[in-house]
């Protein structure tokens, strides 16, 4: 772990010494002023895509274990209850058991990390089984795949199945990592399909998870729901795109990942509540104490993922605003994901 962290810090220092932002261009007449270093881009091949802001980040090559803010430590091979007869993580919603896409992805990512740390093939085998089950829950539209939530959410006014950027992004990371670990092109084909889903910028007929608000690209937790611009879901989508880019070097994946990180780089301060827990979201705002901890961990991970220490500085400001109910680990000397072995409020942020 120390070697991994040292490599991440050295990579970050190297790219910060040489990285330069893209040249700025004037914003559209009806757009916000933005910040120096922005360019306005559209989704290549999408004539209907509105322009959105993107700044260049170094995106250093770092170990995958340092890119995604998942719980550290070695979990059991099998998932905890509830599970189905095949051991696939389940969730009780509205009195019924459902296969939970985010339960599969979060628990799967953690077990892939355990496989890399221990070499125990049992971890990889169980994730492969879960990934095959998750594929059966996806919707196809042309060359795109969509991970959809299979239960109603009355609070958000959403009827099943509904689209969710957190599920889409964590699934993208899961399949990209399965491809890296196994070399099986079938996993990359699924990752490609999930990425094509991110390319469909909404609102549009059919599924979508990303849209442009005031010139910034947002990936939504509750597409067409009540609460919009949810920080943890947007960042998990950005991390998934970042994983996929590191595996494929797709320029379009880099464009979307950088645009997603640009949104937080320029608007992240809006989530702060000095003296209190951070806002969970920006549309119909609420603050949930447990998510303050997730925000701090994600921002520290974003500093490593982007090569930009600004994100770690925002994490420190949030930590000073209000300490979370559970520890987030010591302040790192350089931007990194701190070890965190305390139990989270739940196994993963709920969709």
């Amino acid at each position: 772990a120390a070697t991994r962290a040292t490599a991440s810090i050295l990579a970050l220092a190297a790219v910060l010494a040489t990285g330069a932002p893209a040249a700025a261009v004037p914003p559209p007449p009806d757009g916000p002023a933005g910040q120096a270093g922005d360019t306005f881009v559209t989704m290549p091949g999408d004539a209907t895509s509105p322009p959105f802001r993107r700044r260049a980040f170094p995106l250093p090559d770092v170990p995958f274990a340092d890119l995604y803010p998942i719980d550290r430590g070695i979990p059991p091979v099998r998932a905890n209850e509830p599970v189905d007869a095949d051991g696939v993580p389940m969730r009780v919603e509205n009195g019924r058991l459902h296969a939970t896409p985010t339960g599969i992805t979060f628990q799967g990512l953690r077990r892939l990390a355990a496989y890399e740390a221990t070499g125990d093939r049992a971890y990889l085998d169980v994730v492969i089984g879960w990934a095959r089950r998750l594929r059966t829950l996806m919707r196809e539209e042309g060359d795109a795949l969509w991970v959809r939530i299979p239960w109603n959410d009355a609070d958000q006014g959403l009827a099943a199945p509904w689209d969710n950027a957190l599920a889409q992004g964590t699934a993208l990371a899961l399949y990209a990592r399965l491809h890296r670990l196994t070399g099986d092109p079938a996993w990359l084909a699924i990752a490609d399909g999930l990425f094509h889903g991110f390319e469909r910028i909404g609102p549009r007929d059919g599924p979508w998870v990303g849209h442009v608000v005031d010139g910034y690209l947002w990936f939504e937790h509750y597409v067409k729901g009540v609460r919009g611009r949810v920080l943890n879901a947007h960042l998990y989508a950005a991390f998934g795109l970042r994983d996929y880019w590191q595996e494929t070097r797709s320029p379009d994946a880099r464009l979307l990942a950088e645009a997603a990180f640009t949104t937080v780089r320029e608007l992240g301060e809006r989530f702060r509540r000095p003296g209190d827990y951070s806002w969970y979201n920006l549309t119909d705002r609420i603050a949930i104490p447990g998510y303050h901890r997730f925000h701090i961990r994600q921002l520290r991970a974003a500093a490593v993922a982007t090569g930009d220490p600004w994100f770690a500085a925002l994490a420190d400001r949030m930590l000073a605003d209000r300490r979370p109910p559970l520890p987030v680990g010591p302040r790192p000397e350089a931007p990194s994901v701190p070890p965190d072995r305390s139990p989270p409020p739940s196994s993963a942020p709920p969709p």
Side-chain angles (χ1 to χ4, degrees), residues 300-312:
R300 290 180 179 172
V304 171
T306 62
D308 185 345
W310 180 92
F311 294 95

Side-chain angles (χ1 to χ4, degrees), residues 109-276:
L109 286 167
R110 190 177 180 200
R111 281 157 180 80
L112 289 185
Y115 169 62
E116 291 191 89
T118 66
D120 185 344
R121 173 77 193 201
Y123 285 107
L124 179 61
D125 289 341
V126 77
V127 176
I128 286 174
W130 295 354
R132 287 173 176 157
R133 175 64 178 279
L134 182 60
R135 176 61 183 86
T136 69
L137 304 177
M138 297 180 194
R139 169 181 171 175
E140 295 185 41
E141 184 190 84
D143 61 355
L145 292 172
W146 305 90
V147 180
R148 314 198 80 187
I149 304 300
W151 55 79
N152 298 333
D153 189 324
D155 291 341
Q156 298 298 318
L158 296 172
W162 47 278
D163 303 306
N164 179 290
L166 188 153
Q168 191 86 3
T170 53
L172 180 59
L174 182 73
Y175 288 101
R177 293 185 181 202
L178 277 170
H179 176 258
R180 181 175 62 86
L181 291 170
T182 67
D184 187 339
W187 301 127
L188 184 59
I190 297 172
D192 289 342
L194 293 166
F195 172 69
H196 293 319
F198 277 108
E199 292 181 299
R200 272 50 165 188
I201 305 300
R204 59 186 291 274
D205 292 335
W208 57 273
V209 293
H211 64 152
V212 178
V213 180
D214 294 333
Y216 291 97
L217 180 63
W218 284 96
F219 292 114
E220 291 290 1
H221 203 359
Y222 306 106
V223 176
K224 303 177 185 178
V226 174
R227 293 196 168 88
R229 296 180 289 169
V230 174
L231 180 58
N232 88 89
H234 177 83
L235 277 171
Y236 276 125
F239 287 126
L241 290 162
R242 171 67 169 80
D243 264 36
Y244 179 77
W245 170 78
Q246 186 158 311
E247 181 65 12
T248 65
R249 301 301 182 182
S250 160
D252 291 348
R254 180 165 192 152
L255 181 152
L256 287 178
E258 289 186 327
F261 286 120
T262 296
T263 297
V264 179
R265 178 69 167 77
E266 299 189 8
L267 303 181
E269 285 283 347
R270 298 186 183 184
F271 288 92
R272 287 184 62 202
R273 298 170 69 215
D276 213 335

Side-chain angles (χ1 to χ4, degrees), residues 3 12-13 27 39-40 60 67 71 78 90 211 222 225 234 250 265:
T3 301
L12 178 59
T39 58
F40 274 92
L67 287 178
D71 292 323
R78 304 296 175 186
M90 304 289 282
H211 64 152
Y222 306 106
H234 177 83
S250 160
R265 178 69 167 77

